[in-house]
Amino acid sequence: MNGPPGQTGHADNDEGMDSGALALLKLGIDFHAMAAITSSEGRFTYVNDKFCAVTQYSRSELLGQDFRILNSGYHPKAMMKELWQTILGGQVWHGELRNRAKDGSFYWVSASIVPRVDPAGRPVEFITIRTEITKRKVAEETVAQLNADLQRRAAQLESANAEMESFAYSVSHDLRAPLRSMDGFSQALLEDYGDRLDATGQDYLRRVRAGAQQMGRLIDDILGLSMVTRQEMTHDRVDLTALAQLAIAELRQQQGERLVHWRIGEGLAASGDPQLLRVMLDNLLGNAFKFTGRREQAHIEMGRLGRVSDGVFFVRDNGAGFDMTYAGRLFGAFQRMHTTAEFPGTGIGLATVQRVILRHGGRVWAEAQPDKGATFYFTLPVVEDPS
Amino acid sequence: MTATGKAILLVEDNPDDELLTIRALKRNHILNEVIVARDGAEALDYLFGTGAYAGRDVSVSPQLVLLDLKLPKVSGLEVLQRLREDPRTRMQPVVVLTSSNQEQDLVNSYGLGANSYIRKPVDFEQFSEAVRHIGLYWLVLNEAPPVRRG
Ligand SMILES: Nc1ncnc2c1ncn2[C@@H]1O[C@H](COP(=O)(O)OP(=O)(O)OP(=O)(O)O)[C@@H](O)[C@H]1O
Ligand SMILES: [Mg+2]
């Protein structure tokens, strides 16, 4: 922090500056900065108006007073030692200091301390110029504080994620093992001792197996849902029309004798993660396919609503629909509007859809009427025009 | 299909899964002797003739190792890594058999040189079917690697 050597020997002020310019220089300094002179023992012998204003002391209070009344006790000893070594050695010290005003409040200054030394090199007085930088320091402290907060939160989030990860891992390992035992030994009973059980006994065992298998599917579904939230996502240009065609190709294999009219709009595109959006479309189109299962002629349509720049899409069907009274629950995990006897399922599909859309910063909502079909709307970020 | 020959080393800590795996093998007429190691350390002892298996002739290697991943003491992945590092066991056929459907397990298993990866399904019929495929491929069709003496 120390600058070039301070004045050695007598002041020699006529470096191309006449006394008029020198007077103006002093005026400029008084206007701009706090200036003070202290004796070699550290007592004020001169202070300008700005110095008084910032320290809140009057001139008469300051003159003759030890400069240490301004100390805030904030700076480490090592730094103060370095300051003193510099100026006692005849060098200029420059740095930032926190001082205390008369009312006890603190202020920050950027200070330069210039020692004036006698021919033997001993300091006779110290000239200091300070500019107040309290606002900047407070802002810096705030930024540092916010950064520290942010880092702490990032660390917390990271550890929560890691915990979630290991939770999912142990769920997928440990929760499934007892289910294998239930299913496996029920099966062993049926196979090895089936002849000693009547039809009701065998039916009970089959129910145990069905229960275990159902729970296995639930565990897989929950894990799948948590994957959708945890997985890192990309922001690519995604061809929704093509993704929908892929989904439909798979659904067609289950179509059998059913008559399903598919209509997918051309050139539907959005910005997002292709894998997540595929999962989303699989669920919406899969639902439309499933809930039109009782229609002689199913009509399933996917398209865009309004302008391209709105990024609003829809999937519409003429299936079983549902009562909008309960639509509030639609996107919660394991929430269903139909019984498994009517339509099979666990109720995880729309929860997954919602998570995918929310991760893309979009919205999803539905309109339906019992027996008149359902329409699901969703918004996605539109693709930026490359031109 | 009937397969006999060298032993199968089943590395499995869960006694229920042990029983069910043996049942699935029998059901598919896989009659090889089954040696069970109940943690990773025991499996390594068997394969390298150390500890409780000190003195075992390690040139007689199992025809197949069925390896669970989540094991006490030494994990399945670690066992796999040790097997692949040692010239005596580098060619040992290993099928990873686990509950997990976590992608990281699959990637790690293949990365460490597993020959195959089977997720134990809850449905025993499916499990039995998977075991049938393993048996067909690794015990009947696949030629055992030549014995290597290190
Ligand atoms: N296209 C639709 N037509 C009528 N009802 C629907 C439609 N889509 C969803 N629903 C209703 O919303 C419920 C929740 O849908 P969701 O996709 O979450 O579950 P699911 O399809 O029953 O099971 P899963 O998707 O987990 O296999 C459904 O059970 C159904 O009652
Ligand atoms: Mg669904």
Side-chain angles (χ1 to χ4, degrees):
Chain A
M1 284 203 218
N2 41 349
Q7 298 161 288
T8 51
H10 294 286
D12 186 10
N13 287 327
D14 58 355
E15 288 167 13
M17 233 191 289
D18 60 27
S19 59
L22 216 56
L24 288 175
L25 182 65
K26 182 182 176 306
L27 190 72
I29 289 174
D30 286 341
F31 192 79
H32 188 84
M34 306 159 65
I37 301 176
T38 53
S39 66
S40 59
E41 304 90 62
R43 296 191 181 281
F44 288 111
T45 56
Y46 169 83
V47 289
N48 72 356
D49 289 347
K50 204 171 195 85
F51 195 95
C52 297
V54 174
T55 61
Q56 298 169 1
Y57 291 103
S58 70
R59 181 164 285 110
S60 59
E61 281 173 316
L62 284 171
L63 293 179
Q65 193 43 262
D66 194 300
F67 78 94
R68 291 182 190 86
I69 58 163
L70 302 180
N71 279 4
S72 65
Y74 173 83
H75 299 288
K77 276 212 169 66
M79 173 181 157
M80 296 318 285
K81 197 173 149 202
E82 187 253 356
L83 185 159
W84 280 109
Q85 270 174 354
T86 306
I87 58 176
L88 290 177
Q91 309 273 115
V92 178
W93 184 88
H94 180 77
E96 293 179 351
L97 293 170
R98 191 176 86 154
N99 285 155
R100 186 198 302 271
K102 187 179 177 183
D103 71 355
S105 65
F106 297 114
Y107 61 88
W108 277 91
V109 291
S110 165
S112 295
I113 307 177
V114 184
R116 179 174 185 186
V117 293
D118 64 15
R122 285 186 300 261
V124 287
E125 58 182 8
F126 302 104
I127 292 97
T128 69
I129 306 287
R130 311 165 192 231
T131 34
E132 204 200 342
I133 54 166
T134 309
K135 272 202 189 115
R136 195 193 87 204
K137 290 302 274 193
V138 168
E140 277 173 14
E141 271 169 25
T142 313
V143 168
Q145 181 87 47
L146 287 175
N147 263 333
D149 278 358
L150 212 63
Q151 266 168 18
R152 210 173 31 248
R153 286 203 192 174
Q156 279 171 357
L157 207 66
E158 204 164 297
S159 90
N161 267 343
E163 211 169 280
M164 188 66 205
E165 202 69 46
S166 77
F167 177 73
Y169 188 85
S170 85
V171 163
S172 98
H173 272 97
D174 304 340
L175 238 49
R176 295 166 54 85
L179 295 174
R180 277 200 306 278
S181 300
M182 285 179 219
D183 186 80
F185 291 110
S186 303
Q187 167 68 14
L189 267 179
L190 280 169
E191 242 172 50
D192 298 356
Y193 301 91
D195 53 350
R196 292 189 227 168
L197 288 169
D198 62 11
T200 312
Q202 294 192 8
D203 177 49
Y204 289 168
L205 278 178
R206 273 186 208 104
R207 285 174 193 265
V208 172
R209 290 196 68 196
Q213 288 173 24
Q214 164 73 357
M215 182 151 171
R217 275 192 297 275
L218 285 177
I219 290 173
D220 289 349
D221 283 350
I222 296 175
L223 284 177
L225 185 61
S226 87
M227 263 317 257
V228 167
T229 322
R230 286 179 296 138
Q231 207 176 37
E232 296 211 359
M233 63 177 280
T234 62
H235 297 275
D236 302 326
R237 180 191 192 282
V238 181
D239 183 344
L240 295 176
T241 302
L243 283 190
Q245 304 289 7
L246 287 176
I248 291 168
E250 275 179 23
L251 290 169
R252 279 217 172 100
Q253 307 197 339
Q254 316 165 24
Q255 201 163 306
E257 300 288 292
R258 286 185 53 188
L259 260 182
V260 185
H261 302 278
W262 297 96
R263 230 175 80 197
I264 307 297
E266 292 294 317
L268 305 177
S271 160
D273 185 296
Q275 229 184 320
L276 290 177
L277 291 176
R278 171 73 203 269
V279 171
M280 191 266 310
L281 287 181
D282 279 352
N283 273 297
L284 285 183
L285 293 167
N287 279 348
F289 180 76
K290 173 163 64 182
F291 294 101
T292 50
R294 306 238 169 115
R295 287 280 174 273
E296 233 155 72
Q297 303 240 354
H299 288 273
I300 299 172
E301 184 188 355
M302 176 169 148
R304 183 176 12 233
L305 202 71
R307 288 167 302 178
V308 174
S309 57
D310 295 341
V312 184
F313 305 89
F314 68 87
V315 172
R316 175 173 296 139
D317 66 63
N318 65 336
F322 54 85
D323 186 344
M324 284 296 282
T325 320
Y326 310 107
R329 296 223 208 114
L330 209 53
F331 296 96
F334 304 120
Q335 298 291 343
R336 309 194 73 230
M337 305 284 137
H338 300 88
T339 64
T340 39
E342 289 173 288
F343 296 99
T346 51
I348 210 79
L350 288 180
T352 306
V353 167
Q354 172 161 279
R355 285 197 191 190
V356 171
I357 294 294
L358 287 181
R359 283 199 73 184
H360 283 80
R363 290 183 306 125
V364 57
W365 67 99
E367 274 168 18
Q369 244 180 301
D371 232 35
K372 292 257 164 61
T375 306
F376 285 83
Y377 300 90
F378 57 95
T379 68
L380 284 173
V382 289
V383 187
E384 304 276 329
D385 211 344
S387 61
Chain B
M1 170 185 78
T2 301
T4 49
K6 291 194 292 175
I8 294 172
L9 176 64
L10 171 62
V11 192
E12 173 62 76
D13 64 319
N14 180 332
D16 282 5
D17 279 347
E18 175 191 327
L19 221 72
L20 290 171
T21 306
I22 291 172
R23 185 180 169 83
L25 289 169
K26 290 229 179 76
R27 210 175 183 243
N28 290 296
H29 315 291
I30 298 167
L31 304 173
N32 305 54
E33 182 194 357
V34 178
I35 293 148
V36 181
R38 292 186 176 80
D39 60 57
E42 204 182 320
L44 289 172
D45 277 346
Y46 179 84
L47 290 160
F48 293 118
T50 52
Y53 289 99
R56 191 185 80 80
D57 178 5
V58 297
S59 69
V60 180
S61 56
Q63 186 139 2
L64 181 68
V65 176
L66 295 176
L67 181 65
D68 192 13
L69 284 189
K70 217 175 168 213
L71 292 167
K73 296 185 194 168
V74 180
S75 80
L77 287 178
E78 226 175 307
V79 170
L80 186 55
Q81 190 172 11
R82 295 275 296 279
L83 286 185
R84 291 301 178 245
E85 276 166 8
D86 196 299
R88 290 171 295 170
T89 50
R90 186 170 294 150
M91 310 290 279
Q92 173 66 57
V94 175
V95 172
V96 167
L97 207 59
T98 173
S99 288
S100 158
N101 62 340
Q102 301 274 297
E103 209 177 288
Q104 87 216 49
D105 280 346
L106 196 140
V107 170
N108 288 339
S109 300
Y110 282 124
L112 288 173
N115 297 88
S116 188
Y117 181 101
I118 299 224
R119 186 189 180 213
K120 291 184 261 186
V122 169
D123 185 342
F124 181 78
E125 308 276 358
Q126 282 175 29
F127 180 56
S128 177
E129 186 59 20
V131 167
R132 192 174 76 81
H133 279 117
I134 298 172
L136 191 63
Y137 188 74
W138 291 105
L139 301 173
V140 180
L141 300 180
N142 197 47
E143 285 271 311
V147 177
R148 299 254 309 237
R149 286 167 205 276

